[in-house]
Every structure is written in structure tokens, then in C-alpha cells.
Amino acid sequence: MKARVTVMLKNGVLDPQGEAVRSALGNLGFAGVEGVRQGKLIELDLADGTSEADINDMCEKLLANTVIESYSVELA
Amino acid sequence: MKARVTVMLKNGVLDPQGEAVRSALGNLGFAGVEGVRQGKLIELDLADGTSEADINDMCEKLLANTVIESYSVELA
């Protein structure tokens, strides 16, 4: 089975990487880019029968820093 | 308008970051993690009327390295 974990910085947490992308897009001549947030996408290839609770556990323990990041899990 | 750009390494391109996550999950006691690929998720806040062609252009010019990465764009 496959799972797709999305990790984004929480709202209100400064995202310097996104800010750099926004500024670079402006410098390349793209107008109208008002904001950019950059996060991580982690695709997991898991043994069948891995529970969603296990995946949440992986996120809490390793994949996301829950102090500043939020995550969501999508099973495929 | 919002757009969500997903950038992943192409199949066959070595992903050391994903490999490190796979190994760390194993060390934490999670069994059955067979593979991990890590990519980027970029959320763009754009002026209304930005065309999908413009967004593809941003991906080709800045957001993705199309030699080794593939991208997909989702409008929201």
C-alpha cells in the first residue's frame, strides 16, 4: 500500500524558503505571485495492513516537527 | 487563486533523502516500510487570472529541475 504524507509549516510560522521562491519568481518576471509556502511531500511504500495510526505515529515521531509543522496523511 | 505544485524526483533517480527517512523509520521500530520518496510541495498564492501556462512556466524555469524532477500542478 502507498501513503502520501504532506508536511507544511503552520500558519504564522515564518517560511524563509517560500519567501525566497516568491522573490525569485518576481525577479524572473512573473507578476502577481502574492505568497509562496513550501512544504514536504513524503511518499511511503508500506507493507499491506499498516494502519493509519501507525502512519500518524511515524509523522509524530519523525516526519513532522509538530511544534511548527502540520501534517496530513492520504492513503492510496 | 491558489495553485499547488508537487515536485518529485523522477523514477530511477536516486533519492538519498528518502532513503535516509526509510532507514530512520526502520531504526525507530516501524516494520514494513518498503520505500520512501521525498519531494517538495509548493503552495502558490497567485493573482486571479494567472494561467496554467504561466504556472507551468514557473515550474520549468525555477521550481523544478526537469532533468531529474517531474512536477504536477493542481489549481484550487
Side-chain angles (χ1 to χ4, degrees), chain A residues 1 4 6-8 17 20-21 24-25 28 30-48 50 54-55 57-58 61-63, chain B residues 1 4 6-8 17 20-21 24-25 28 30-48 50 54-55 57-58 61-63:
Chain A
M1 64 181 281
R4 190 171 246 243
T6 305
V7 180
M8 296 295 292
Q17 206 176 3
V21 170
L25 285 172
L28 283 172
F30 294 103
V33 180
E34 284 153 16
V36 179
R37 306 281 287 172
Q38 183 166 334
K40 287 180 287 184
L41 182 70
I42 302 157
E43 286 184 353
L44 301 166
D45 196 358
L46 298 164
D48 287 337
T50 308
D54 281 337
I55 303 172
D57 222 25
M58 291 178 198
K61 287 198 178 143
L62 182 75
L63 305 178
Chain B
M1 64 181 280
R4 190 171 245 246
T6 306
V7 179
M8 296 296 291
Q17 207 176 5
V21 170
L25 285 171
L28 284 171
F30 293 104
V33 181
E34 286 154 16
V36 179
R37 305 281 288 173
Q38 182 164 336
K40 288 181 286 185
L41 181 70
I42 302 157
E43 286 185 353
L44 301 166
D45 196 358
L46 298 164
D48 288 338
T50 308
D54 281 338
I55 302 172
D57 222 24
M58 291 178 198
K61 286 197 181 146
L62 183 74
L63 304 179

Side-chain angles (χ1 to χ4, degrees), chain A residues 54-69:
Chain A
D54 281 337
I55 303 172
N56 284 333
D57 222 25
M58 291 178 198
C59 294
E60 301 276 343
K61 287 198 178 143
L62 182 75
L63 305 178
N65 174 356
T66 52
V67 177
I68 55 168
E69 292 171 327

